[in-house]
Amino acid sequence: MTGVVWLLRRFVASVAIIFAVVTLVFILIHVAPGDPCVGSEEGGTQDPVMCPLLTRQFGLDQPLHVRYGRYLLQLLHGNLGYSFSLHRPVSGALAETIPFTLQLAGVALLIDFLLGLGLGIYQALRVNRLPDVVLSNVTLFVYSLPTFWLALVLLLLFAEKVKLFPLGGPSDPILCPVIDSAYCLADRIWHLVLPAFTLGLVGAAGTARFQRAAMLEVAQQDFVRTARAKGLSERGVVLQHQLRNALLSFITRFGLTLPFLLTGAVLIETIFAWPGMGRLAVNAILTRDHALVTATALIASTLVVSGNLLADILIGIADPRVRVPADGGPETSLVPA
Amino acid sequence: MTLGTWFALLVAIILAAEAVRAVRHRAFGSERWRRFFRHPTAAWGVGILAFLVIVAVAAPLIAPFDPDRQLDIIGLKNHPPSWTFLLGTDVLSRDVWSRIVYGARVSLGIGGLGALVAVSVGSLVGAVAGYYRRWVDAVLMRTVDIGLALPRIFILLMAVALWDRLPFWVLVLAIGLTSWFGTGRLVRAEVLSLRERDYVLAARALGAGAGGVIFRHVLPNAAAPVIVSAALGVGNVLLLEASLSFLGIGIRPPTPSWGNMIADGAPSVYTAPWTTVAAGLAISLVVMSLNAVADGLRDALDPHEEGGAT
């Protein structure tokens, strides 16, 4: 029973956090100088006849609290508003870009976790021997690379020097504007390789470092010694006893990584001309597109919050020790990373 | 590169190596430092960081050219690396090596100061929340929850867009004030357990005020996680500044920062990659050194290892 109450409390708290983020972003973007009509550096309508008309139509002449109230009312009806810079409803623009970001982030996440977990476990099996030492240094190096810089270097090496992959974009614009054949699917994957690897590689290095440390921490626990004393093989000890327990802290990492792949994709999408949500968000901020900025912030914060919630629920299922927090507070259930 | 700048560079390297040797010498006397140097990369990290700090401080001696001077916009544009121009010249014919050297001041400065702001605010908030508990804790920790859910790069983009020519200290504050949430949560957890210790009770029984207890007894004992997160924080801030500069809203040109150098070189990265590659490697080197040092510190400051068999 307490579990349900806890879940309910967490859910309400999560909604409150998202609401607070949206409010904050709403105020910030409306207070920032330059509205879509006056025009900032790029975009915006500057027509002297249209401007007052548009200002009135979108209610930009109203005081902040009135606009905020209207926005919330629309949001409750599921209406995300109208984008000034794209001249279309925000929901349409998001529906078009989110699938691209999901493809990129999904593949990157897969590379991150498969490669990262694999390396981390492999290193834990060979602690302080040559492969482990080499890999430790390699992951330390890759983990420290600025992602967008790695993107530029990989482009330079594998798209310009060796013309192995395309320079950018989601697909061949002439042959494959939409994916309708096996050839076009292959084309999409071919375009995905570099951006997804850039994102995934840096993530995988972090995951590998994290997983190795988690495995070694578990290695010092008594039950591992017991398992070894029972006469289990080294491989059995590591895979059966260490790995299963080290995966618990990996769940927390999983929850924390989920939103990062979307926000981390901002620069990668810009460099690879990938028409995803991150690029949309950056353009929205630069053109003071109020509705679009608030909507992307809404999505980003929802991801962060639900990532945390998902991790906590998964940990609760996997680890009976943290199932019911003593005082019901939200943080008590967070396993220290 | 003149003879003088080569000599200055050599002196910087010797000084950095000497610094590592001095720290290592102390290691013999202290269990902690011995644990720190058990990480083979930690010593390298200290050495590289020391070298770069020396370079940043002595920039006028080490840089062969004025970093902002356009030497010859036609003849020396995107000149490949040579003995005169160690790392080549950029698209405006400025010497890349000189800009890297001066950029160290800006980038390390932003990293250090930004992390200082973040760690100070985070520690203070965490300590106050953990010490007072009740509603103070609730309010502060909900703030942290919101802060962690904020899409930070968006917030920075918007905050930065408020200024046309962003002053250095505003950028530092903006980055610092959006980076403290994790530290805050970390310190609070630490303080929650520390405040129940006997020595805190003793201090309070002797009439110490809340401020005295927090600053004299609680925070110093929570230093270990703070120091580690500070080391990692410097790297994170550096990367964040680089991302912002790459989007054209960090440090404004012509002042060189490693971030805006990557951006400067990006349009011509296929024909003249040296500007972008050099600046990116400089960032990676610092972040890598900081991560290595943080690894060492984590071991050195780990109370579980205190007095353990080595």
Side-chain angles (χ1 to χ4, degrees), chain A residues 17 20 29 32-33 137 140-141 143-146 148-149 156 160 167 209 267 271 281 285 288 301 304 331 334, chain B residues 41 142 145-146 148-149 154 157 161-162 185 242-243 246-247 269-270 273 276-277 280-281 283-284 287-288 291 295:
Chain A
I17 289 173
I29 187 71
N137 286 314
L140 175 65
F141 175 69
Y143 177 66
S144 308
L145 297 174
F148 64 99
W149 179 78
L156 174 68
E160 177 64 25
L167 282 168
R209 275 168 57 82
L267 289 164
I271 291 171
I285 290 168
R288 305 289 188 284
S301 58
V304 176
E331 298 85 26
L334 272 178
Chain B
T41 42
R142 290 308 80 79
D145 285 341
I146 295 167
L148 286 172
F154 294 179
L157 275 167
L162 286 166
R185 184 176 268 178
S243 314
F246 184 71
L247 289 170
V269 71
Y270 299 130
T276 294
V277 169
L281 280 180
I283 294 177
S284 316
V287 177
M288 191 165 58
N291 283 333
D295 281 352

Side-chain angles (χ1 to χ4, degrees), chain B residues 68-132:
Chain B
D68 298 341
R69 207 178 110 218
Q70 302 177 7
L71 299 164
D72 179 355
I73 191 75
I74 297 157
L76 288 175
K77 179 181 164 179
N78 281 336
H79 192 277
S82 65
W83 283 115
T84 327
F85 309 106
L86 206 58
L87 296 172
T89 63
D90 70 359
V91 71
L92 293 174
S93 77
R94 297 171 297 195
D95 181 43
V96 173
W97 167 240
S98 304
R99 286 180 74 71
I100 293 273
V101 168
Y102 273 89
R105 287 185 164 185
V106 178
S107 290
L108 293 181
I110 267 201
L113 291 174
L116 187 70
V117 172
V119 167
S120 313
V121 175
S123 307
L124 198 64
V125 169
V128 168
Y131 187 77
Y132 286 103

Side-chain angles (χ1 to χ4, degrees), chain A residues 36 45 58 61 88 111-112 116 154 190 201 203 238 259 270 281 321 325:
Chain A
T45 316
F58 291 120
D61 49 352
R88 58 186 295 197
I111 296 172
D112 178 336
L154 288 182
W190 184 55
L201 222 55
V238 171
T270 310
R321 287 171 302 182

Side-chain angles (χ1 to χ4, degrees), chain B residues 228-274:
Chain B
V228 173
S229 83
L232 295 173
V234 175
N236 284 336
V237 172
L238 204 72
L239 288 175
L240 200 59
E241 185 274 323
S243 314
L244 288 176
S245 290
F246 184 71
L247 289 170
I249 48 167
I251 294 290
R252 295 283 161 138
T255 307
S257 84
W258 294 339
N260 70 23
M261 287 182 68
I262 295 183
D264 282 345
S268 51
V269 71
Y270 299 130
T271 49
W274 38 87

Side-chain angles (χ1 to χ4, degrees), chain A residues 151-164, chain B residues 270:
Chain A
L152 286 170
V153 172
L154 288 182
L155 265 177
L156 174 68
L157 291 178
F158 296 110
E160 177 64 25
K161 293 280 184 248
V162 186
K163 292 189 171 33
L164 215 56
Chain B
Y270 299 130

Side-chain angles (χ1 to χ4, degrees), chain A residues 8-119:
Chain A
L8 215 66
R9 284 182 61 158
R10 279 302 308 268
F11 184 75
V12 172
S14 304
V15 173
I17 289 173
I18 295 168
F19 173 76
V21 168
V22 167
T23 306
L24 212 66
V25 170
F26 185 92
I27 294 172
L28 251 175
I29 187 71
H30 280 79
V31 168
D35 67 54
C37 202
V38 176
S40 54
E41 295 103 86
E42 301 132 73
T45 316
Q46 308 216 4
D47 192 302
V49 183
M50 287 303 286
C51 237
L53 275 174
L54 284 174
T55 307
R56 204 163 312 130
Q57 191 192 333
F58 291 120
L60 293 179
D61 49 352
Q62 303 286 329
L64 190 63
H65 63 274
V66 176
R67 284 191 270 173
Y68 179 60
R70 280 188 187 166
Y71 181 79
L72 282 188
L73 207 63
Q74 290 298 315
L75 203 59
L76 284 176
H77 288 89
N79 186 357
L80 289 171
Y82 189 85
S83 156
F84 305 128
S85 63
L86 302 172
H87 307 289
R88 58 186 295 197
V90 169
S91 48
L94 286 177
E96 215 167 78
T97 50
I98 284 179
F100 283 104
T101 296
L102 284 183
Q103 286 168 20
L104 178 58
V107 176
L109 205 62
L110 213 65
I111 296 172
D112 178 336
F113 290 161
L114 287 184
L115 192 64
L117 277 180
L119 283 178

Side-chain angles (χ1 to χ4, degrees), chain A residues 1-322:
Chain A
M1 237 359 255
T2 40
V4 177
V5 174
W6 172 82
L7 196 64
L8 215 66
R9 284 182 61 158
R10 279 302 308 268
F11 184 75
V12 172
S14 304
V15 173
I17 289 173
I18 295 168
F19 173 76
V21 168
V22 167
T23 306
L24 212 66
V25 170
F26 185 92
I27 294 172
L28 251 175
I29 187 71
H30 280 79
V31 168
D35 67 54
C37 202
V38 176
S40 54
E41 295 103 86
E42 301 132 73
T45 316
Q46 308 216 4
D47 192 302
V49 183
M50 287 303 286
C51 237
L53 275 174
L54 284 174
T55 307
R56 204 163 312 130
Q57 191 192 333
F58 291 120
L60 293 179
D61 49 352
Q62 303 286 329
L64 190 63
H65 63 274
V66 176
R67 284 191 270 173
Y68 179 60
R70 280 188 187 166
Y71 181 79
L72 282 188
L73 207 63
Q74 290 298 315
L75 203 59
L76 284 176
H77 288 89
N79 186 357
L80 289 171
Y82 189 85
S83 156
F84 305 128
S85 63
L86 302 172
H87 307 289
R88 58 186 295 197
V90 169
S91 48
L94 286 177
E96 215 167 78
T97 50
I98 284 179
F100 283 104
T101 296
L102 284 183
Q103 286 168 20
L104 178 58
V107 176
L109 205 62
L110 213 65
I111 296 172
D112 178 336
F113 290 161
L114 287 184
L115 192 64
L117 277 180
L119 283 178
I121 294 165
Y122 176 77
Q123 283 182 264
L125 279 168
R126 285 176 176 62
V127 166
N128 290 337
R129 279 193 271 164
L130 188 65
D132 175 43
V133 173
V134 171
L135 279 174
S136 288
N137 286 314
V138 170
T139 50
L140 175 65
F141 175 69
V142 175
Y143 177 66
S144 308
L145 297 174
T147 326
F148 64 99
W149 179 78
L150 182 65
L152 286 170
V153 172
L154 288 182
L155 265 177
L156 174 68
L157 291 178
F158 296 110
E160 177 64 25
K161 293 280 184 248
V162 186
K163 292 189 171 33
L164 215 56
F165 294 105
L167 282 168
S171 57
D172 191 320
I174 298 155
L175 293 173
C176 289
V178 284
I179 299 180
D180 50 7
S181 65
Y183 171 78
C184 284
L185 187 65
D187 180 67
R188 166 60 51 86
I189 293 169
W190 184 55
H191 278 81
L192 247 178
V193 173
L194 274 188
F197 251 95
T198 313
L199 264 179
L201 222 55
V202 177
T207 305
R209 275 168 57 82
F210 180 86
Q211 189 61 22
R212 177 181 180 273
M215 302 270 295
L216 294 187
E217 196 167 315
V218 175
Q220 294 176 350
Q221 307 235 343
D222 291 338
F223 63 78
V224 175
R225 193 183 306 142
T226 309
R228 204 163 270 139
K230 277 195 310 192
L232 275 184
S233 70
E234 185 60 27
R235 184 170 293 263
V237 171
V238 171
L239 296 182
Q240 284 293 322
H241 294 263
Q242 268 175 258
L243 178 60
R244 282 171 66 111
N245 284 282
L247 280 179
L248 285 175
S249 39
F250 176 74
I251 295 176
T252 313
R253 185 178 168 83
F254 170 77
L256 291 174
T257 315
L258 218 51
F260 172 78
L261 278 173
L262 275 193
T263 48
V266 168
L267 289 164
I268 297 297
E269 287 182 357
T270 310
I271 291 171
F272 286 97
W274 193 261
M277 205 187 83
R279 211 166 63 131
L280 190 75
V282 171
N283 287 336
I285 290 168
L286 295 179
T287 52
R288 305 289 188 284
D289 197 330
H290 300 165
L292 201 50
V293 170
T294 327
T296 45
L298 172 71
I299 293 177
S301 58
T302 308
L303 272 170
V304 176
V305 170
S306 42
N308 281 335
L309 191 57
L310 188 70
D312 279 3
I313 293 172
L314 286 178
I315 288 224
I317 293 170
D319 188 350
R321 287 171 302 182
V322 293

